[in-house]
Amino acid sequence: MTERTFRDPDRPRPDRVTDLLTRLTLAEKIALLHQYQAPVPRLGLSAFRTGTEALHGLAWLGPATVFPQALGLGSSWNPELLRAVGSAVGDEVRGLHHKDPDRAGLNVWAPVVNPLRDPRWGRNEEGYAEDPWLTGLLGTAYAQGLRGDHPTYLKTAPTLKHFLAYNNETDRCTTSSNLPPRVLYEYELPAFRAPLAAGAAVAVMVSYNLVNGRPAHLSPLIAAELRRCAADEIVVVSDAGGVSNIAGAQGHLPDQPSGYAAALRAGVDSATEDDADPTPTIRRITEALRRGLLDESDVDTAVRRLLDLRMRLGEFDPPDRNPYTAITADVINCPAHQRLAREAARKSIVLLRDEPAPG
């Protein structure tokens, strides 16, 4: 196999992904299932990392434009504003990635679309509203800005957080959010469905908690709801330590290979574990394969989704085909973005007036 179809931008994307997948060894594929995906020098594949926080800017990585927290953006009730803010943040992600790709990855972990159902959560500043319709509308707008409007390439790859029913910090890994069907389908799911159905978000992060007694990382709703309603293929990533919790803090399965195998079969494609060290993840998945808890086809399914995402970001194409590769660090904290941040801050201020009802 000499012709590298995966490098040909004029070929259909599924064919390109299949070609690349068939060129990888099993060991190379397993290494791609960790947050820090190892490079494959013989194929010219660079290292890739899931997860750059981009909820309201990149200031946590150094000087950058600081936009209002999501709760403030939600108070604007203005989808056009959120799309503009998302686009500016996406530009700054691309700009920092252009300067330092190891520091800023293109898979961004935003927006948070958990409806703010309990003011005691302690992280309500990360979400937009208590209303699922408004949250879905604004989350879609922000994600559309992050992903850009090019018909082929993604500016960044937005990831919805946190699936599902995540509004508890105390014992968050071991408590269960118990949802009757009406709460699930009318309150919790709509805010996730909207950005996925619109093609705005292209990935989802699973939450720490259990849902109706089952770890969220093993939820059948990953396949039954998320992937069914998405406009295109999506990647599902774990929260940090979420996969090892299955056999660890949650005690749901007897050992780590069993937990990793169950998560992969449930639809989790990338394990956010052990910071930048992929060794435990590789060891546990390899052992799960040895025991017959996984088939290589299960690995292939997850790797295919990850490669598809990287291809949509333009990684395997000539840079001149992708307009987003031309964005440089000059855009970070630029005057236009500072003006937009001030506008967003002004529009986040809501004044309520109490008037008696007429008559």
Side-chain angles (χ1 to χ4, degrees):
M1 192 186 304
T2 55
E3 179 194 0
R4 293 188 171 183
T5 299
F6 77 92
R7 292 285 184 187
D8 185 352
D10 295 320
R11 298 289 292 270
R13 197 172 83 224
D15 293 350
R16 299 176 67 194
V17 173
T18 296
D19 175 67
L20 180 51
L21 183 65
T22 59
R23 295 175 185 273
L24 295 167
T25 67
L26 178 58
E28 289 167 342
K29 288 186 286 190
I30 293 172
L32 296 179
L33 300 179
H34 186 261
Q35 178 188 17
Y36 285 78
Q37 299 176 26
V40 184
R42 66 183 184 84
L43 296 177
L45 270 65
S46 302
F48 184 87
R49 174 173 60 86
T50 62
T52 295
E53 300 287 358
L55 187 59
H56 63 114
L58 285 182
W60 64 287
L61 288 177
T65 310
V66 179
F67 295 94
Q69 283 275 20
L71 188 60
L73 294 173
S75 298
S76 73
W77 293 68
N78 189 330
E80 292 76 18
L81 175 66
L82 266 80
R83 182 165 183 160
V85 172
S87 181
V89 174
D91 284 347
E92 296 202 9
V93 171
R94 272 284 180 177
L96 187 55
H97 181 77
H98 187 277
K99 178 182 179 180
D100 189 350
D102 292 333
R103 194 174 180 198
L106 296 178
N107 170 230
V108 294
W109 285 354
V112 171
V113 293
N114 297 113
L116 308 179
R117 62 191 172 100
D118 191 332
R120 298 169 297 178
W121 182 18
R123 286 175 66 177
N124 280 352
E125 77 280 357
E126 293 188 9
Y128 296 117
E130 74 279 8
D131 180 79
W133 176 83
L134 179 62
T135 296
L137 182 71
L138 298 180
T140 298
Y142 191 76
Q144 285 171 333
L146 286 169
R147 80 179 300 284
D149 55 9
H150 194 276
T152 302
Y153 297 110
L154 300 171
K155 182 189 297 185
T156 67
T159 302
L160 303 179
K161 297 164 66 175
H162 313 76
F163 189 78
L164 176 73
Y166 181 56
N167 287 121
N168 179 34
E169 290 301 295
T170 303
D171 299 325
R172 61 184 181 176
C173 296
T174 55
T175 53
S176 179
S177 299
N178 298 324
L179 308 177
R182 184 173 182 182
V183 174
L184 173 65
Y185 288 100
E186 294 185 11
Y187 190 74
E188 288 291 343
L189 288 175
F192 286 90
R193 285 172 168 168
L196 292 173
V202 297
V204 177
M205 175 187 282
V206 190
S207 58
Y208 284 118
N209 53 285
L210 296 85
V211 179
N212 293 341
R214 180 194 294 261
H217 283 74
L218 304 184
S219 173
L221 296 170
I222 294 172
E225 292 293 336
L226 294 183
R227 292 206 156 95
R228 191 179 68 179
C229 72
D232 206 329
E233 189 60 89
I234 62 170
V235 165
V236 175
V237 304
S238 80
D239 208 335
V243 176
S244 58
N245 282 343
I246 296 169
Q250 293 169 341
H252 190 78
L253 287 171
D255 55 35
Q256 292 296 346
S258 300
Y260 274 70
L264 201 62
R265 292 198 309 271
V268 177
D269 305 309
S270 178
T272 311
E273 297 280 342
D274 303 292
D275 298 321
D277 181 11
T279 307
T281 291
I282 292 171
R283 184 177 66 247
R284 291 160 181 172
I285 293 174
T286 301
E287 174 63 13
L289 286 162
R290 188 191 69 79
R291 289 192 206 170
L293 302 174
L294 287 174
D295 294 326
E296 186 171 353
S297 62
D298 297 313
V299 174
D300 286 351
T301 297
V303 171
R304 181 182 294 276
R305 295 180 185 130
L306 294 163
L307 295 176
D308 182 78
L309 183 68
R310 292 172 65 169
M311 197 158 286
R312 295 177 71 187
L313 287 165
E315 179 179 338
F316 310 120
D317 292 3
D320 59 2
R321 297 285 291 256
N322 180 356
Y324 300 126
T325 62
I327 300 174
T328 67
D330 294 339
V331 76
I332 298 174
N333 206 24
C334 65
H337 290 178
Q338 292 175 4
R339 289 192 295 271
L340 179 61
R342 285 194 292 269
E343 178 189 359
R346 285 193 296 268
K347 292 185 175 179
S348 71
I349 299 170
V350 179
L351 299 179
L352 301 179
R353 182 168 59 188
D354 187 12
E355 292 183 342

